[in-house]
Amino acid sequence: MSAERRRQTRVREETFHCCACFYTDNIFLEDYHMHVRFQDEQQFRRDYEGILRRRGCRSEEHFKSILSKDSFLAPELLELVRFCTSKEADLEGMLNQIQSIADKRIYRFPVFSDEFCRLFIEEMEHFEQSELPKGRPNSMNNYGVLLNELGFDEWFIAPLREKYLQPVTSILYPDCGGKYLDSHKAFVVKYSLSEDLDLSSHYDNAEITINVSLGKEFAEGNLYFGDMRQVPANERSYVEIEHVVGQGLLHRGEHIHGALPITSGERWNLIVWMRSAAVRNQLCPMCNKTPQLVETLGYGDGFTQTRTLPSSETVDVCALI
């Protein structure tokens, strides 16, 4: 055996991922005892409509119920994602479909249905009223829910980020890691007269943030945005933005922003800090230094590290063939 064949290689330890097919292929329809693949409605009808009708899906209503896996999302978001993943996708075309606010690269578009927002808040309230242990959403918000504590990361937030939000951010924020969002921190915040009223100016530990208004009934409490954190405070200009239930505001994480006090009711918002290791591995956005990494659980703060084992722990490639 040649020396080249017998050379040794170092073992690299990296983060784990799943294939994108997890969200589109091998989907099991329990009522019809079959696995299917879903890319879009046209493909699904072409491949499965006949088979499903032979298995008992007798009406168009029944067929539509199968397709309702995305029913919690606003139709406008689904259409936006279809555009973003098409050959015609470009920034100009996208800006014709969403609202751009004050030339600050802040964008608004529908994300969730009103019914989903209502049900989601109910779920948060049930958790809030339980005796289960709870952590604070972040150092500035005292009231709300960390969604990883409810197990929402894997089945809800990760697919939302990967399948629906990243196609949008890849076009809107290619310079901020929008094409390479590989982790997140997601939480719900709550404002009321007897709890948190407002939120001071700050920037997020994220490359890109989406803030979705969930409800309930409330008055005031608008968001305000200045400029990027690198702009001196006395040179910043501000814009105030109202909440619209079901709609999300997408902005760069380093954009200075805050929330004005509510004057009545309760306000709930879903916040997703989306992170790109390709960006933050170069410079920590919180200390402006090369990251000094400490091992943690889950996504941590989105930093990754590829470690090479010592030469004494190398593996003979031929032994693996």
Side-chain angles (χ1 to χ4, degrees):
M1 185 176 295
S2 69
E4 179 68 17
R5 288 284 310 274
R6 292 195 55 83
R7 71 177 182 273
Q8 294 181 329
T9 183
R10 294 177 183 272
V11 177
R12 291 158 58 87
E13 182 180 56
E14 299 179 330
T15 57
F16 290 96
H17 298 76
C18 69
C19 178
C21 71
F22 176 80
Y23 303 107
T24 58
D25 294 22
N26 208 34
I27 300 168
F28 183 62
L29 301 180
E30 184 173 1
D31 292 343
Y32 301 95
H33 304 287
M34 62 183 291
H35 288 84
V36 299
R37 178 173 180 268
F38 185 93
Q39 291 287 345
D40 54 48
E41 183 172 344
Q42 182 179 5
Q43 168 267 322
F44 189 78
R45 284 186 179 275
R46 182 182 64 248
D47 293 348
Y48 301 109
E49 187 167 15
I51 300 172
L52 287 167
R53 295 204 184 282
R54 290 193 293 273
R55 294 195 177 197
C57 181
R58 304 297 185 189
S59 68
E60 181 65 16
E61 182 179 351
H62 287 160
F63 194 84
K64 286 290 187 182
S65 69
I66 297 174
L67 296 173
S68 65
K69 69 183 186 72
D70 293 332
S71 62
F72 69 97
L73 297 172
E76 295 89 343
L77 175 60
L78 299 178
E79 183 58 37
L80 182 61
V81 172
R82 277 192 286 271
F83 173 79
C84 292
T85 54
S86 71
K87 294 180 180 179
E88 295 76 27
D90 61 15
L91 180 59
E92 182 179 358
M94 174 177 287
L95 293 180
N96 289 329
Q97 301 189 43
I98 62 177
Q99 181 184 0
S100 179
I101 298 175
D103 296 325
K104 287 182 175 287
R105 297 185 73 186
I106 305 168
Y107 305 100
R108 189 209 296 273
F109 51 86
V111 177
F112 299 130
S113 69
D114 289 347
E115 177 66 7
F116 175 80
C117 291
R118 183 185 65 79
L119 294 173
F120 193 68
I121 289 177
E122 286 185 4
E123 187 70 20
M124 296 302 102
E125 289 177 328
H126 291 156
F127 178 68
E128 187 182 49
Q129 293 162 10
S130 75
E131 296 182 359
L132 294 171
K134 307 170 183 69
R136 291 174 59 187
N138 55 68
S139 61
M140 297 183 72
N141 290 97
N142 296 298
Y143 300 92
V145 178
L146 286 164
L147 293 186
N148 66 329
E149 293 185 344
L150 291 176
F152 280 19
D153 266 352
E154 181 177 350
W155 68 267
F156 177 38
I157 300 298
L160 178 68
R161 167 174 53 82
E162 295 169 0
K163 186 175 180 181
Y164 300 103
L165 296 178
Q166 187 157 300
V168 177
T169 61
S170 65
I171 296 177
L172 292 176
Y173 303 108
D175 54 327
C176 303
K179 293 183 178 181
Y180 309 104
L181 300 175
D182 47 15
S183 68
H184 62 262
K185 178 177 180 178
F187 50 93
V188 171
V189 292
K190 176 188 177 187
Y191 297 85
S192 73
L193 296 182
S194 60
E195 298 172 324
D196 288 335
L197 283 175
D198 55 13
L199 190 63
S200 299
S201 294
H202 66 284
Y203 63 92
D204 298 336
N205 186 0
E207 274 60 71
I208 301 168
T209 295
I210 190 163
N211 181 332
V212 186
S213 175
L214 301 173
K216 304 165 66 173
E217 295 291 333
F218 59 91
E220 302 299 332
N222 290 345
L223 300 177
Y224 60 87
F225 285 83
D227 295 291
M228 299 296 281
R229 68 184 180 93
Q230 294 82 1
V231 177
N234 62 349
E235 297 179 15
R236 294 172 188 156
S237 61
Y238 287 85
V239 60
E240 190 173 320
I241 305 174
E242 292 185 3
H243 299 275
V244 179
V245 173
Q247 295 195 9
L249 288 172
L250 199 65
H251 63 87
R252 292 165 290 177
E254 294 190 1
H255 204 144
I256 296 294
H257 60 285
L260 297 172
I262 65 167
T263 56
S264 67
E266 287 183 5
R267 176 169 74 79
W268 293 74
N269 288 64
L270 167 65
I271 314 295
V272 185
W273 289 350
M274 297 180 284
R275 294 156 168 171
S276 170
V279 174
R280 61 183 38 233
N281 282 352
Q282 308 304 313
L283 187 73
C284 173
M286 306 308 290
C287 67
N288 293 319
K289 299 177 182 177
T290 301
Q292 302 297 308
L293 302 185
V294 178
E295 289 190 5
T296 186
L297 299 176
Y299 288 126
D301 279 339
F303 301 101
T304 60
Q305 181 180 41
T306 298
R307 294 186 297 180
T308 302
L309 297 182
S311 56
S312 61
E313 299 182 43
T314 57
V315 175
D316 188 340
V317 175
C318 295
L320 303 177
I321 298 177

